[in-house]
Amino acid sequence: MPGKTPDKEPVENGGYRGGKDIDMKDKDLKPKGKKASKKEGDDEMTVVVPPSKTQSSAPPPNDADGDISMDDSDKMGDEVKVDPVVQTMNADIKSNFALLDRAVALFDARFSLRALRSISSIRKRLTPDILAQVVSETYPSSSPSSSFARQILVMVGRPDMSLGRQPGPEMEIDSEPKAAGKNGAKKEVKEVIPEIDVFLGILTQVLLHDSKAFQKGFEFSSYLVDRIRSLSRRTLDSLSAKVYFYYSLFAEQISPMPPSSQSPIVSIRPALLAALRTAVLRKDVDTQASVIVLLLRNYLLTSHIAQADLLVSHTQFPENAANNQVARFLYYLGRTRAIQLRYTEAHEHLTAATRKAPSSACALGFSQTATKLLLVVELLMGDIPDRATFRQPNMETALHPYFLLVQAVRVGNLEDFETIIADHADTFRRDGTYTLILRLRQNVIKTGIRMMSLSYSRISLRDICIRLHLGSEESAEYIVAKAIRDGVIEATLDRERGFMKSKEIGDVYATREPGEAFHDRIRACLALHDESVKAMRFPMNQHRLELKNAQEAREREREMAKEIQEGDLDEDDLGGEFEGM
Amino acid sequence: MAEHELTTVVNQLRSSPPTTPYTTTTSLLSRAKLLLLQLNALTPSPSVPVQHLVLARDIYELGALASIRAKNPDAFTRYVSQLQPLYEVLQGHADAAEAAANSVSGERNKITGLYLLLLLTQGRYAEFHSELEALSSSMSSMNDVEADRYLGYPIRLERWLMEGSYDRVWKAMKKGEVPCEEFGVFSEILTYQIRSEIASSSERAYPSLPLSSTKSLLFLESEGAVVEFARSRGWIVKDGQIYFPSAQEEEGEQEKEISQMMIENTLGYARQLETIV
């Protein structure tokens, strides 16, 4: 049995020895990373859970249960101490196998999604030991995916653990006849389904990411991606979406870091594009959504805006994608549009992104980043953002530089504006809003002119020039003329005498503006209604029940009809009488 | 063999004066491209040796400059899009080999600056800003970009154009802030552009303008040119004053449009309500 020789490492292992871990400047990972970095002391809770609970937590596949109970009795001899945390973790992870099993059996992606959702809670407590133990217990050494399992073991740094540890003793010690009698037949047939492989693979990715072994993680991810492609099972859809996510996350962390065109993220583009193609052909919504988002992020990180734009125009983002993916997609789209000066679209997308972002604290980073960009876009559109935005307690400090910026723009003070840019240049550059903010200069000037036009009915160009710190009177004249043409102010210029004369401000209610605002709101409400109708869920096979009910109803109807028929005569008689009358 | 020949072609192209007719240059360039093809260096790939890539870059750069001088924007755009991947690959080699940055980056900034200016004159602002974004992320800071002789010029021009300080654009072009002669090619287009911008804003901003001051406003040489320009835009010249045809007629149509829109919206609401209830 190959699995029994623990020191025989897989060939691929040679490469990993040399691969050094890149030490990480813990760069703020923008939206996605934030989600990950939440750690809480949930441990106490899990310690309390008695080991006996493990049995009940995984009801349907009997053999998982069997393994665990074997585990309990076996542990005593095998290892001296059994950590209860390890035990519960073990069971937690395995209970997901049951979900995955069911997902495959019923072909319902919701079970895989539930398994994926549990990753975040498992993540906090995951250690290499636990994972290695689960792996070694899950895979019998003769299983076809044993090479994969061993790969995981190598990755988590426990290459000397043997596979099929629990099943092995089980056979030898006691349960051989019993198992054969009870569920042995099932056991022979049942092998570890690839979904479980991939699920454990994801856990490995998570573990490697949390331990900052990025190079290792990247190599493992490439391996995992290859494996998914070769497996090509539809039940893997939602799992593979996750795998690609970590794949590209690892790629981002390896030096040279993203802005450089030499970053490995450039080299993973073909893989992602291939995955996108497959996903689109298969109508695999999860992978499609997450890969589109990853590609967009990828392009934007290297500032390939044209490519990002082309990607968006050539693909269709799946309508019923997960909410979080939609939020990310909208954010990246908004960013692209903002760079392309399509502010109205950018504003629309970013507003939607901030609203769709989860309101809980776990995605605070995303909300902050999206809000920052949204603020800048609003400023660029000539709007002044709502002050309440800056008062939200969890955003206040992050948004402070932007608050100062808004103040400067609102007053139209060019001097303040320049100093704020200079002071906070690093912050803005880190947020990727610097180039956008530089474009604000013209807005500051416009606001300044507007303020001037509102306060004075007539003002000389010289004064405008002095107050706005413009280069010369001539410049001021051109700038004011342009502002008049762009509809910023209602005024006329007098060239000979060199002043600007403001026109009377019309009644805003006489214009079409209130109507438009009203229309916008109604449209938003209608869209909300439509979306909530679309969001309603109907459980599978429910219609059969209804059909059954319908059939019963029909039968009842038939009976009723029969009764009526029987009583028909009476009715007829009655009718006759009526007719007769 | 081919490499040697290529080097001679490059030298020939370099030494030829800028006044060389475009046709001679193009024939030389196409010969060079054939040679590149023999070296498998026409499109950059990691397997191509660095010195061939450098040769390819030189060819494309010379071609780009030549096409600018010949006022052939399409050819220039083609050269630029060929150059961009080359620059990135070369940059990679530079990072790897720690080679002298100058020998590798070549005339990148000059070409990029020209490209930016081209985008600006063609009014392709979205692409202009996309390009700028890429620049600011590849350069260490935005200040570096602005301080660069070739890159700063189009960036400043864009800012002034957006602001409306047309006089500064004009001065920049006149006062010889133009970094090199290739950039001068665009001055004519830019002048035309700012003139029409000023004209369209003047139409809205002034009730009337005296002919004499319009001359300086539009950066025109003589009053005769002003009259001619006024005629081409359909302005009315009377007693040394220019009057602009007012835009009153549009009002009525707009009014109609509003009511049309209102009806449409209300019908839309009714329909939606129907589906909901």
Side-chain angles (χ1 to χ4, degrees), chain A residues 53 57 93 123 144 186 194 243 296 351 365 376 402 520 544:
Chain A
K53 206 201 162 194
S57 63
I93 294 173
R123 178 178 203 162
K186 212 170 164 192
V243 170
L296 274 181
T351 324
V376 177
Y402 293 88
D520 274 348
R544 290 220 187 113

Side-chain angles (χ1 to χ4, degrees), chain A residues 350-567:
Chain A
L350 288 170
T351 324
T354 43
R355 287 193 189 144
K356 279 211 159 64
S359 50
S360 63
C362 66
L364 188 59
F366 178 81
S367 312
Q368 280 179 351
T369 321
T371 314
K372 283 175 193 167
L373 196 57
L374 178 64
L375 291 175
V376 177
V377 170
E378 268 182 31
L379 286 177
L380 280 169
M381 287 173 75
D383 293 344
I384 298 299
D386 207 3
R387 186 157 181 142
T389 323
F390 300 99
R391 287 224 194 88
Q392 293 166 41
N394 48 8
M395 299 242 191
E396 209 171 350
T397 41
L399 295 183
H400 186 66
Y402 293 88
F403 175 63
L404 297 176
L405 193 71
V406 171
Q407 275 185 329
V409 176
R410 200 176 68 86
V411 183
N413 191 329
L414 210 51
E415 210 171 355
D416 277 4
F417 176 73
E418 304 275 356
T419 48
I420 288 165
I421 289 191
D423 286 354
H424 298 278
D426 288 336
T427 323
F428 294 146
R429 213 168 277 142
R430 203 174 53 231
D431 294 340
T433 50
Y434 187 66
T435 42
L436 292 177
I437 287 173
L438 284 185
R439 292 187 209 164
L440 272 174
R441 208 183 122 87
Q442 73 211 50
N443 289 61
V444 181
I445 295 174
K446 271 186 199 164
T447 325
I449 293 176
R450 182 155 52 189
M451 301 301 278
M452 218 93 64
S453 143
L454 287 178
S455 354
Y456 303 94
S457 60
R458 176 194 285 194
I459 183 169
S460 75
L461 289 171
R462 215 185 125 65
D463 285 340
I464 294 180
C465 168
I466 292 166
R467 296 207 181 187
L468 293 180
H469 308 281
L470 298 173
S472 65
E473 243 173 279
E474 278 174 323
S475 288
E477 187 171 351
Y478 286 119
I479 291 169
V480 172
K482 191 173 188 295
I484 293 171
R485 190 197 56 178
D486 294 347
V488 178
I489 47 168
E490 293 275 326
T492 50
L493 281 172
D494 193 317
R495 187 164 171 85
E496 279 138 288
R497 279 169 287 175
F499 63 75
M500 174 182 94
K501 189 164 181 271
S502 306
K503 279 183 192 159
E504 288 289 309
I505 308 151
D507 180 13
V508 87
Y509 285 97
T511 64
R512 57 161 76 178
E513 221 158 278
E516 268 166 17
F518 184 55
H519 180 60
D520 274 348
R521 278 172 203 205
I522 290 181
R523 217 173 37 199
C525 289
L526 289 174
L528 182 70
H529 174 265
D530 285 352
E531 261 171 40
S532 25
V533 169
K534 275 185 208 159
M536 284 184 190
R537 281 192 144 249
F538 300 98
M540 260 241 265
N541 297 336
Q542 193 69 30
H543 66 285
R544 290 220 187 113
L545 209 72
E546 264 168 45
L547 276 184
K548 209 173 141 203
N549 286 344
Q551 204 146 16
E552 275 171 18
R554 219 172 298 139
E555 241 148 62
R556 233 178 294 135
E557 222 168 87
R558 210 172 291 150
E559 265 170 46
M560 223 136 77
K562 217 186 261 173
E563 270 169 36
I564 291 172
Q565 225 166 29
E566 276 162 16

Side-chain angles (χ1 to χ4, degrees), chain A residues 65-78:
Chain A
D65 244 14
D67 281 0
I68 293 165
S69 52
M70 285 328 297
D71 193 25
D72 284 355
S73 58
D74 212 56
K75 271 280 158 63
M76 302 303 155
D78 219 52

